[in-house]
Amino acid sequence: MAGAKMARRSRQAPPLLLHLLLGFLLLVHVPSAAPQSFIGINYGDVADNLPPPSSTARLLKSTTIGKVLFADDATLAAQLVPALQNVYDALPPNSSIKVSTVNAMDVLASSDPPSSGAFKPALAAALDPLLAFLSKTGSPFLVNPYPYFAYQDDPRPDTLAFCLFQPNAGRPDAGSGLTYTSMFDAQVDAVRAALDAKGYKDVEVVVAETGWPHSGGADEAGASVENARAFVSGLVSHLRSLVGTPRMPGKSVDTYLFAVYDENLKPGKASEKSFGVFQTTLTETYPTGLMRNGTAGLAPAPAPTPAQKVPPASPPPATPQVTPTPPVQPGAAAASRHTRSAAESSRTFSALHLFACFGFMALLV
């Protein structure tokens, strides 16, 4: 594809972060024979001004958001696939629960044009066992594409339109004969091409994180409310259209937005704190097309308690679909755009955190 390079940098979680992907909730997303779009959202908690969990649950119930993804850390470097296998083996027989791991776009050695998508050979020792596990268990390959960072690498007007789902001339892929009109589709299809090249056409691609910051520093081109609104509302419309991607037409890719709220304690550049789709007052940061009632949010939440976290609670009666997902980015640390210090993260997989996630989602049902 001529023009901007399709950046492989992404807003990543720290190496080997355990994600708890809670699905099959009774809130919105239920099995259906008919094709449908699915949009979830990430719950980041690197903040000291978050509303009570009950208020957040009430807010999310007023939207068309179907699932919430939580995060906790784990140091599992050489134990990734064995750890995933242990979790899978502990599931009930014939369970529909999926076990997977999040990957940054940095796992790709090539992504432009999308048909050239290929994994880095140096990561084969880690990725090959993972892909085999995903194929065997019917679990998806989770990836974090961020068109925002592609625009950071090539801040031209035509690149911005390409990243924001706005009208543009399109970018042909000579290798496939397809034409792309959005960076999101190009990034997703590059991952699809890499999986196909490895012989894993049966492994589904799921977008575990994507978003656009609504503010940033003077050196962060494109971080604005207008661009964040254009990206998120454009993405929502694109997913709901069920048009799919050029390589995967007619199928909406399951996608999780980042994030529910801003994270005012997040280290790094100003934009890292500013991915919140909602404000802690329970109103939209900008129009997203996600609200059910056509309003901009709910009534103000009670005053938050500093450093408030999601409290532990008992699991809900229904059995949710849980996907523990530690992102594997061997060799990609230098390109990290989303790194937490040891002080901000326990680096352990906690059963307490698991129950906290269940407890929060119980409020949504």
Side-chain angles (χ1 to χ4, degrees), residues 174-242:
S176 65
L178 301 171
T179 297
Y180 288 82
T181 57
S182 77
M183 181 65 76
F184 178 83
D185 282 355
Q187 290 179 321
V188 169
D189 275 2
V191 176
R192 178 73 269 162
L195 288 169
D196 292 351
K198 293 284 279 186
Y200 290 104
K201 295 184 178 182
D202 60 321
V203 175
E204 181 183 4
V205 177
V206 168
V207 173
E209 274 191 30
T210 191
W212 197 285
H214 57 79
S215 65
D219 61 337
E220 296 183 283
S224 70
V225 170
E226 294 78 11
N227 289 341
R229 179 202 59 76
F231 176 77
V232 173
S233 61
L235 175 61
V236 169
S237 296
H238 180 59
L239 295 174
R240 286 178 176 167
S241 74
L242 298 178

Side-chain angles (χ1 to χ4, degrees), residues 99-308:
V99 182
S100 189
T101 182
V102 179
N103 300 270
M105 290 294 290
D106 303 79
V107 298
L108 297 183
S110 175
S111 60
D112 187 12
S115 62
S116 71
F119 293 114
K120 291 178 178 176
L123 303 183
L127 282 174
D128 287 353
L130 172 62
L131 296 177
F133 170 82
L134 299 179
S135 178
K136 179 182 69 174
T137 60
S139 299
F141 185 87
L142 307 184
V143 66
N144 294 352
Y146 275 87
Y148 167 71
F149 293 117
Y151 177 64
Q152 288 280 293
D153 284 347
D154 185 9
R156 296 180 297 162
D158 62 323
T159 302
L160 184 61
F162 189 63
C163 289
L164 296 181
F165 298 94
Q166 294 174 338
N168 61 86
R171 301 185 178 184
D173 181 337
S176 65
L178 301 171
T179 297
Y180 288 82
T181 57
S182 77
M183 181 65 76
F184 178 83
D185 282 355
Q187 290 179 321
V188 169
D189 275 2
V191 176
R192 178 73 269 162
L195 288 169
D196 292 351
K198 293 284 279 186
Y200 290 104
K201 295 184 178 182
D202 60 321
V203 175
E204 181 183 4
V205 177
V206 168
V207 173
E209 274 191 30
T210 191
W212 197 285
H214 57 79
S215 65
D219 61 337
E220 296 183 283
S224 70
V225 170
E226 294 78 11
N227 289 341
R229 179 202 59 76
F231 176 77
V232 173
S233 61
L235 175 61
V236 169
S237 296
H238 180 59
L239 295 174
R240 286 178 176 167
S241 74
L242 298 178
V243 68
T245 70
R247 193 180 181 101
M248 298 181 288
K251 182 183 183 302
S252 182
V253 177
D254 285 3
T255 300
Y256 289 80
L257 295 170
F258 192 92
V260 179
Y261 303 116
D262 287 347
E263 296 179 279
N264 66 333
L265 301 182
K266 182 71 65 64
K269 293 188 174 183
S271 65
E272 289 289 342
K273 309 175 191 292
S274 307
F275 279 80
V277 174
F278 297 98
Q279 296 295 296
T280 54
T281 55
L282 306 184
T283 57
E284 289 184 302
T285 304
Y286 44 79
T288 62
L290 291 170
M291 301 302 297
R292 288 179 181 277
N293 56 14
T295 67
L298 301 178
T305 301
Q308 186 169 11

Side-chain angles (χ1 to χ4, degrees), residues 308-320:
Q308 186 169 11
K309 302 292 183 180
V310 180
S314 298
T319 302

